[in-house]
Amino acid sequence: MTTQPTVPNGNSSSKNGELPHYRTEGSATAPPLLLGPSLGTSMALWDKVAPELSVTHRVVRWDLPGHGGSSAGLIGPGATVAELARLVLALADSLGIDRFSYAGVSLGGAVGLYLAVHHPERVERLAVICSSAHFNGSKPWEERAALVRAEGLAKLAESADSRWFTGGFTVPELVEDHRTADPDAYAACCDALAAFDIREQLPRIGARTLLVAGRQDPATPPAHLREIADAVPHAALVEIPGASHLAPAQCPEAVLTALRAHFDGGAKRGMEVRRQVLGDEHVDRAQARQSEFTARFQDFISRYAWGEIWTDETLARRERSMITLTALVAHGHYDELAMHIRAARRNGLTPEEIGAVLLQTAVYCGVPAANSAFAVAQRVLAEEDGTAAE
């Protein structure tokens, strides 16, 4: 493979326009993650998601031909998704990337499906967002391609918000990307969508696959993502309420939470430990209460507190429970104390040992704090034994 010099965490262009325009973010030694755009947009589609993903991955965003900074000459009339996929592989080769994870929106998602089917040795994990294994037949795309070749993109861009977003939401930068894309390259991408149908080959996908659907997406409604999830082995489906076709721009927190859980094993391991320590009933309640507003915080808890701290084997879980009880008493967090007394019992502490910990807090945190803590502990332990607290 050849390695092409890049500007760290910045935009880079290919030599002689032979490769898509791209941007790299994150450490060069981190696991690579390629992000593909939707038709009519640029890599700006990922602006609210990519920087967060780059904390744990070497993120490479790329532009479609004739979009953003990519040359329009990369494709021509009659283009196919296979051609776009070859451009992505050439870009990965130029960066010295052999195997990578991939996430793409709409046309970018179709590219990911093609790569996973035809180049399984290259794709580690796959996320397909607001996309499909087919795009409702060739006729609508042939008509759109003809319209754009004849009249340009200005008129079509006027309806971008209604096709991409809900509730009056907009991202002016993306609408401008649509308006200023090269008409011939845009039409060629329409040709690629017209010819794309990979449904019969979906069972060949071996990469762990996540499907993300916007519940209000008129272009690729959730049924299209469910169709993929039903056909691909080991696939999972997430639906995002309130999201339309460009979910990473409209609901970035929800998309980020889903992608982190899929691409980063730390969150998955953290959730396993969280359930082991706190119990399924508690975690299920917390997950049921999760909203778009709290999703990022819940992800933080699973990833950091449970995925990094509680999984560190330097201290045993029973020792971590003792430390946690002391800290909660010191700060007066008695609701959390009740939860962690139950957790301490799961981690092997006896009622006598819990009492000894709380007695120690009387010395270093104060008698009033310990008095409240003993009351909480007595209630929790009585509930556990099925007796009434005195």
Side-chain angles (χ1 to χ4, degrees):
M1 296 182 182
T2 59
T3 301
Q4 175 181 317
T6 65
V7 179
N9 297 331
N11 291 321
S12 300
S13 297
S14 60
K15 207 171 186 181
N16 301 322
E18 295 171 354
L19 296 175
H21 176 252
Y22 64 94
R23 180 177 183 178
T24 60
E25 295 160 279
S27 171
T29 61
L33 171 61
L34 274 58
L35 302 180
S38 171
L39 176 66
T41 71
S42 71
M43 63 176 67
L45 174 60
W46 294 99
D47 277 354
K48 295 182 179 180
V49 176
E52 298 289 341
L53 292 175
S54 70
V55 173
T56 53
H57 288 81
R58 179 189 183 186
V59 173
V60 181
R61 308 189 231 173
W62 58 277
D63 282 330
L64 289 164
H67 295 63
S70 286
S71 168
L74 290 172
I75 56 172
T80 64
V81 170
E83 290 179 55
L84 296 174
R86 284 195 290 272
L87 289 173
V88 171
L89 290 179
L91 173 59
D93 290 345
S94 76
L95 296 172
I97 297 173
D98 182 27
R99 191 165 171 83
F100 51 83
S101 292
Y102 182 94
V105 181
S106 194
L107 178 53
V111 170
L113 288 171
Y114 184 93
L115 289 170
V117 167
H118 294 282
H119 301 276
E121 75 285 356
R122 304 296 297 269
V123 181
E124 183 75 31
R125 286 179 178 250
L126 172 66
V128 178
I129 303 169
C130 300
S131 187
S132 183
H134 65 98
F135 289 85
N136 298 314
S138 62
K139 186 176 180 181
W141 297 105
E142 291 169 351
E143 292 175 347
R144 185 184 294 193
L147 175 66
V148 171
R149 286 181 173 118
E151 302 181 9
L153 283 161
K155 184 176 180 180
L156 190 61
E158 293 176 0
S159 63
D161 284 342
S162 63
R163 289 182 283 115
W164 288 349
F165 305 117
T166 60
F169 186 89
T170 187
V171 180
E173 296 83 357
L174 294 179
V175 177
E176 184 63 15
D177 284 337
H178 193 332
R179 184 177 293 107
T180 58
D182 181 87
D184 289 333
Y186 183 101
C189 288
C190 290
D191 294 339
L193 288 168
F196 185 72
D197 190 339
I198 206 169
R199 282 176 285 186
E200 292 185 0
Q201 300 171 65
L202 292 175
R204 292 169 49 187
I205 295 178
R208 290 279 179 179
T209 301
L210 172 69
L211 293 314
V212 179
R215 197 166 288 174
Q216 278 72 50
D217 183 358
T220 53
H224 283 237
L225 284 302
R226 284 196 293 270
E227 183 178 38
I228 302 173
D230 289 342
V232 175
H234 313 298
L237 172 65
V238 172
E239 293 187 20
I240 300 179
S244 186
H245 193 53
L246 299 189
Q250 186 170 12
C251 300
E253 294 86 359
V255 171
L256 180 61
T257 297
L259 293 183
R260 275 178 165 170
H262 181 60
F263 290 126
D264 187 350
K268 182 178 179 182
R269 174 59 177 152
M271 182 60 76
E272 292 173 355
V273 173
R274 187 180 179 188
R275 288 185 177 278
Q276 291 166 6
V277 174
L278 300 182
D280 287 335
E281 185 177 349
H282 170 83
V283 176
D284 287 343
R285 283 198 305 269
Q287 292 294 98
R289 293 194 301 267
Q290 178 175 299
S291 65
E292 183 176 334
F293 179 70
T294 64
R296 191 172 180 183
F297 177 65
Q298 289 295 320
D299 178 68
F300 166 79
I301 293 172
S302 294
R303 181 177 308 280
Y304 186 68
W306 298 105
E308 295 187 27
I309 303 304
W310 277 86
T311 54
D312 182 355
E313 296 181 358
T314 306
L315 297 176
R317 286 188 189 176
R318 57 182 285 109
E319 295 170 329
R320 292 193 181 279
S321 278
M322 292 179 183
I323 295 168
T324 302
L325 295 179
T326 303
L328 292 173
V329 173
H331 287 275
H333 299 310
Y334 298 116
D335 289 339
E336 292 278 318
L337 178 65
M339 176 180 71
H340 275 279
I341 287 172
R342 298 184 185 96
R345 295 288 287 129
R346 290 189 187 88
N347 286 339
L349 268 67
T350 66
E352 291 75 17
E353 289 172 324
I354 292 173
V357 170
L358 298 184
L359 187 60
Q360 181 111 353
T361 67
V363 177
Y364 293 97
C365 301
V367 171
N371 185 50
S372 297
F374 268 104
V376 171
Q378 186 176 25
R379 171 175 57 81
V380 171
L381 294 173
E383 291 171 356
E384 183 180 83
D385 292 338
T387 60
E390 295 179 2

